[in-house]
Amino acid sequence: MTRLPIRVRLAAAFAVALLLVLTLAAVFLHLRLQDSLNEGIRATLNARMAAVVALERDPERRLPARFAGEPEEGFAQILAPDGTVLDRTGRAERPALTDEELRRARADDVVIERPVKGIDGTALMFAQPAGGNVAVVGQTLQDRDEILSGFIASFAIGGPVAAVLASLLGYALAATALRPVEAMRRRAEGVSLGGEQSLLPLPEVKDEIHRLGVTLNEMLVRLRQAFDRERQFVADASHELRTPVSVIKAELEGALRSGDYGPEVRDALVASVAECDQLGQLAEDLLVLAAAGEGQLPVRPEDGSARDALDLVRARFADRAAHAGREIRVDVDNGLRVRADPLMLRQALGNLVDNSLRHGQGDVALRARADEAVTEIEVSDSGAGFGPELARTAFERFTRGDTARTRGGSGLGLAIVRAVAEAHGGSAEIEPDGRRATVRLRLPHLSQGDLR
């Protein structure tokens, strides 16, 4: 029941409540109708008894063949003390009372309800002393029982029909009442913290749903303000980090080029340059996240040479790879073109190369190829690759493998890669090959309509 839509549950509850009310009303009306019919029968029998007793006092008068207004199944008898029928009217020919009932009736008024031979159904009888005899009047209860049965049958048919109609009416009323909620739900599906500053629609009637919508809109405004403050803070911090990190790296690289140091100093300078690269990459990643909003980057795709894009990434990390005794190789057709935002593409490829130099082994390979629909760009090395568990969550923010926890890293690199790929209408995936670590970007040849 709890899995049903709320409008269905409301309609069912409305129908059950109506059926319960109708049942209680039917029971009440049935009892009232039964009492009314019984009172009418008793009044008729009392009037007939009075007429029979009056006739009994005049020995020269006899009971008429039929009393005025007497039902067809009504009857009257004058019984002698021994039970002999002295006079009668109606269809009951034999004595209506048993010997025991006759004995009781000679002493006092008696009310009896049982079948009587010659009368259809159960009969209600009044008996009382009349001079030295006993007067008996009676009437069948068949008509009363048929009326009551008809009432029950009418309710048995009309009750379910009324419940069905009530269900339909309740469903329509619930759907009408919940229409503003459905409108707010549809609007909420498209509401984002970093997108269009739209609010939930409010119904014109200022009821509970209107107050709920006002409260949700106020909460949405507060969330957007908090989100904007956090995003602005990240952007400002990233901008502030980039300049000092760039200066420190330049100074360290200058010291390396001077050659005026011993082997231990050289190792320290190389490590410091690598840490500066990491800080610089982190600052750029934070800027991307700040611009991403809810995962949608504002990209400006341009048609450019794939080799130029890969060569720029290789040049950026060439010194670092050389210090580690490794090489960055580019494998791409000179005529291959790629349509992408140049800065974003270099950001994504830079993250992948940084991961390979930091956590992988052997030379790093940058490859690009195209088919009819997309351009595929791969970054791979000869490391152990991604484990099955890590591969499932590698593109989530702040996900790091065991080696990354000891070698540094923010856990944002692959999240940025996926955000860049999806912003271009493409995708990012990990090659399921345990012999090497390969990450592939798939970018469409043409710009997509939903690019921002």
Side-chain angles (χ1 to χ4, degrees):
M1 185 71 175
T2 56
R3 296 183 178 180
L4 295 175
I6 187 172
R7 63 186 65 183
V8 175
R9 283 182 280 159
L10 287 174
F14 187 71
V16 171
L18 178 62
L19 196 58
L20 179 60
V21 171
L22 288 177
T23 301
L24 295 176
V27 171
F28 174 77
L29 292 176
H30 182 274
L31 295 176
R32 290 292 300 166
L33 178 60
Q34 186 178 27
D35 289 343
S36 178
L37 293 174
N38 288 338
E39 288 177 1
I41 293 173
R42 286 193 292 268
T44 300
L45 292 178
N46 286 329
R48 195 180 307 156
M49 177 62 76
V52 170
V53 171
L55 291 174
E56 172 62 16
R57 292 172 182 167
D58 187 350
E60 296 184 359
R61 298 181 62 185
R62 297 183 58 83
L63 296 178
R66 186 183 183 90
F67 285 101
E70 180 183 14
E72 182 179 354
E73 294 294 326
F75 64 92
Q77 293 179 348
I78 301 295
L79 301 178
D82 60 358
T84 303
V85 178
L86 301 177
D87 196 4
R88 70 177 181 86
T89 181
R91 295 170 56 181
E93 298 179 357
R94 302 184 61 180
L97 300 180
T98 65
D99 293 342
E100 174 62 20
E101 293 169 346
L102 181 62
R103 185 186 63 80
R104 291 165 47 205
R106 291 174 61 189
D108 197 2
D109 295 351
V110 177
V111 178
I112 303 167
E113 185 175 332
R114 63 172 174 80
V116 174
K117 189 170 183 178
I119 302 300
D120 295 335
T122 301
L124 178 64
M125 296 180 291
F126 287 177
Q128 69 179 50
N133 301 318
V134 174
V136 181
V137 295
Q139 181 177 323
T140 181
L141 299 179
Q142 188 176 34
D143 292 341
R144 183 206 68 175
D145 294 340
E146 288 178 354
I147 293 174
L148 294 177
S149 298
F151 177 85
I152 295 175
S154 298
F155 174 78
I157 296 174
V161 172
V164 172
L165 295 177
S167 299
L168 297 176
L169 178 61
Y171 185 87
L173 292 176
T176 301
L178 293 174
R179 190 174 294 123
V181 178
E182 178 64 17
M184 287 191 287
R185 185 196 65 79
R186 288 196 300 267
R187 178 70 62 82
E189 286 181 341
V191 170
S192 62
L193 294 179
E196 181 183 355
Q197 301 298 305
S198 59
L199 298 175
L200 303 180
L202 300 177
E204 295 182 0
V205 179
K206 294 185 178 180
D207 53 6
E208 291 82 357
I209 296 178
H210 183 278
R211 292 195 295 271
L212 174 62
V214 171
T215 302
L216 292 177
N217 281 337
E218 292 174 351
M219 180 185 68
L220 187 58
V221 170
R222 292 194 301 270
L223 288 175
R224 282 173 173 159
Q225 292 174 348
F227 179 77
D228 290 340
R229 287 194 300 269
E230 293 296 325
R231 186 167 60 178
Q232 188 61 44
F233 170 77
V234 172
D236 293 342
S238 301
H239 278 294
E240 294 297 326
L241 278 173
R242 295 178 72 183
T243 299
V245 169
S246 299
V247 172
I248 293 172
K249 182 180 178 182
E251 294 292 337
L252 292 173
E253 289 176 342
L256 277 172
R257 285 192 294 269
S258 70
D260 187 15
Y261 47 77
E264 295 181 357
V265 175
R266 181 183 182 280
D267 292 340
L269 291 174
V270 171
S272 298
V273 170
E275 293 300 320
C276 286
D277 284 337
Q278 180 185 352
L279 286 174
Q281 191 68 47
L282 175 60
E284 293 183 3
D285 289 345
L286 291 175
L287 278 175
V288 171
L289 290 178
E294 292 182 336
Q296 296 295 329
L297 292 173
V299 297
R300 298 178 179 83
E302 300 176 4
D303 188 29
S305 169
R307 174 169 290 278
D308 291 344
L310 299 187
D311 284 341
L312 286 173
V313 176
R314 178 178 59 181
R316 175 183 171 186
F317 293 94
D319 290 343
R320 179 175 163 189
H323 286 308
R326 302 167 67 182
E327 182 181 356
I328 301 176
R329 295 182 287 102
V330 173
D331 181 10
V332 59
D333 186 1
N334 288 332
L336 181 62
R337 310 290 291 179
V338 61
R339 184 168 182 79
D341 187 310
L343 295 178
M344 292 297 176
L345 181 60
R346 286 198 294 272
Q347 174 83 7
L349 296 178
N351 283 354
L352 295 179
V353 173
D354 179 74
N355 281 347
S356 293
L357 292 176
R358 188 176 301 277
H359 309 298
Q361 298 176 2
D363 293 343
V364 179
L366 290 169
R367 302 184 183 90
R369 60 178 178 272
D371 60 20
E372 295 181 356
V374 298
T375 299
E376 294 184 351
I377 303 177
E378 295 180 353
V379 178
S380 62
D381 60 71
S382 302
F386 296 84
E389 185 173 349
L390 178 59
R392 288 193 297 268
T393 60
F395 289 105
E396 297 179 4
R397 294 181 182 183
F398 305 109
T399 298
R400 296 188 295 171
D402 294 335
T403 57
R405 300 180 190 279
T406 58
R407 299 184 187 178
S410 64
L412 296 175
L414 290 180
I416 298 299
V417 172
R418 183 174 65 176
V420 170
E422 291 178 350
H424 286 82
S427 62
E429 60 187 25
I430 295 174
E431 178 68 26
D433 186 355
R435 295 172 298 176
R436 59 190 303 169
T438 302
V439 180
R440 180 181 299 112
L441 273 73
R442 298 171 60 86
L443 305 177
H445 292 325
L446 301 177
S447 60
Q448 303 298 306
D450 59 350
L451 295 182
R452 292 172 173 81

